[in-house]
């Protein structure tokens, strides 16, 4: 089944949706890691600790049924596979992995997540809420983000992922590794929710990490009152994805 997709948006980035009663319930970004086998990586806190494994994969103009095939016990990484038949000949190529990342590197955090109408300006809009799900009443719609930032720490320990509203999904999830910390160039003007699981790439378009968690450390007072600036993001290092290679090698 097809969905509304900008014809000029050729990217390995995908949208994962877990539905409830036929409408989106949990949404996250993801990215292609093996086109021939239809494998995607995302963030574990997207699926939670007790999952039936099923989801929808919105990718390259089509919607696929997906299923979780690798759910590590600790690391905030998950791998999901397209179920059933698919033709990968029109899939974009996956990202190459960066050999290293260091403080000061420029990085672009990418993903697909909802924005209000005012924040859709200048972005590629994917009208999935309205044209795929028929949710004509919603004021938000999915857009593709490509957010620049700089690496400020390569071994930052945050201990857990998400905020209070994700508590049900992440309860008991203790992460046993460190993160890459980004300071974004601009205020995102809203939470990064939905970008979780998307890829972060360097200036050579090589994968350096997976969007994992945000932190709020700054507030500003303007004509609209006090508001939070969303400009810190933490990445799961690609080394955590590499650890899954032995598991993925056995998948068909």
């Amino acid at each position: 089944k097809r969905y509304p997709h900008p014809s000029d948006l050729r990217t390995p980035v995908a949208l994962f949706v877990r539905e409830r009663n036929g409408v989106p319930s949990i949404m996250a970004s993801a990215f292609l890691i093996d086109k021939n086998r239809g494998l995607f990586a995302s963030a574990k806190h997207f699926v939670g600790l007790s999952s039936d494994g099923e989801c929808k994969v919105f990718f390259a103009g089509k919607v696929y049924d997906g299923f979780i095939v690798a759910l590590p016990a600790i690391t905030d990484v998950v791998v999901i596979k397209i179920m059933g038949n698919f033709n990968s000949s029109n899939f974009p190529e996956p990202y190459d992995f960066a050999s290293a990342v260091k403080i000061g590197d420029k990085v672009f955090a990418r993903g697909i997540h909802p924005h209000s109408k005012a924040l859709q300006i200048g972005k590629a809009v994917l009208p999935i809420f309205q044209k795929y799900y028929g949710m004509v009443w919603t004021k938000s719609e999915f857009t593709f983000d490509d957010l620049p930032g700089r690496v400020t720490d390569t071994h930052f320990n945050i201990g857990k992922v998400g905020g209070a509203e994700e508590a049900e999904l992440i309860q008991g999830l203790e992460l046993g590794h460190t993160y890459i910390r980004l300071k974004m160039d601009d205020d995102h003007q809203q939470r990064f929710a939905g970008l979780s699981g998307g890829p972060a790439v360097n200036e050579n378009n090589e994968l350096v990490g997976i969007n994992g968690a945000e932190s709020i450390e700054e507030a500003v007072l303007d004509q609209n009152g006090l508001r939070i600036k969303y400009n810190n993001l933490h990445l799961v290092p690609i080394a955590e994805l590499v650890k899954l290679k032995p598991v993925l090698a056995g998948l068909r």
Side-chain angles (χ1 to χ4, degrees):
K1 188 173 181 180
R2 294 188 174 274
Y3 73 96
H5 185 273
S7 59
D8 59 347
L9 186 61
R10 292 284 297 172
T11 175
V13 179
L15 169 69
F16 284 172
V17 175
R18 294 181 63 78
E19 297 177 343
R20 181 176 296 172
N21 297 323
V23 297
S25 174
I26 302 173
M27 297 156 282
S29 298
F31 56 97
L32 186 68
I33 57 173
D34 188 322
K35 63 185 295 183
N36 293 325
R37 294 189 294 168
L39 297 180
F40 296 79
S42 187
K44 179 177 177 177
H45 67 273
F46 152 63
V47 298
L49 297 177
S50 56
S51 169
D52 60 9
E54 296 180 354
C55 66
K56 296 289 187 187
V57 182
F58 290 76
F59 182 64
K62 291 186 178 180
V63 185
Y64 302 92
D65 291 326
F67 198 85
I68 298 164
V69 294
L71 189 63
I74 297 177
T75 303
D76 190 23
V77 177
V78 67
V79 174
I80 296 182
K81 178 176 174 36
I82 293 176
M83 304 305 294
N85 296 326
F86 63 93
N87 182 355
S88 65
S89 61
N90 291 323
F91 285 3
E93 292 298 322
Y95 296 112
D96 292 329
F97 285 16
S99 59
V101 59
K102 63 183 183 301
I103 293 174
D105 283 354
K106 186 154 191 172
V107 171
F108 300 86
R110 295 174 177 167
I112 299 171
H113 73 137
H115 287 69
S116 65
K117 195 170 185 65
L119 298 180
Q120 295 173 19
I121 298 172
K123 297 181 181 292
V125 178
L126 290 72
I128 295 171
F129 278 142
Q130 296 191 22
K131 293 189 177 180
Y132 182 83
Y133 285 105
M135 299 168 60
V136 295
W137 61 87
T138 183
K139 296 181 180 179
S140 296
E141 196 49 271
F142 290 99
T143 67
F144 176 76
D145 262 339
D146 187 13
L147 308 175
R150 295 277 178 181
V151 176
T152 60
D153 196 333
T154 58
H155 294 82
F156 188 81
N157 192 341
I158 62 174
K160 67 176 183 177
V161 174
E165 57 270 35
E166 289 91 16
E168 181 181 350
L169 291 178
I170 65 171
Q171 186 176 8
L173 177 60
E174 295 295 331
L175 302 177
H177 60 83
T178 55
Y179 282 70
I180 298 168
R181 181 177 173 86
L182 299 184
K183 176 77 170 182
M184 311 312 294
D185 288 359
D186 302 304
D187 176 12
H188 190 229
Q189 300 185 57
Q190 66 174 26
R191 292 197 58 197
F192 292 102
L195 282 180
S196 292
V201 302
N202 61 20
E203 291 184 286
N204 295 321
N205 207 38
E206 298 168 331
L207 184 73
V208 300
I210 303 170
N211 302 334
E214 64 189 10
S215 66
I216 300 169
E217 297 183 350
E218 189 175 355
V220 295
L221 185 64
D222 58 22
Q223 64 271 21
N224 297 317
L226 187 67
R227 76 180 168 83
I228 301 298
K229 292 186 71 174
Y230 294 97
N231 53 9
N232 290 289
L233 188 61
H234 303 90
L235 312 176
V236 179
I238 56 170
E240 300 301 322
L241 183 56
V242 173
K243 291 177 183 178
L244 296 179
K245 281 190 173 181
V247 176
L248 301 180
L251 295 177
R252 297 185 179 274

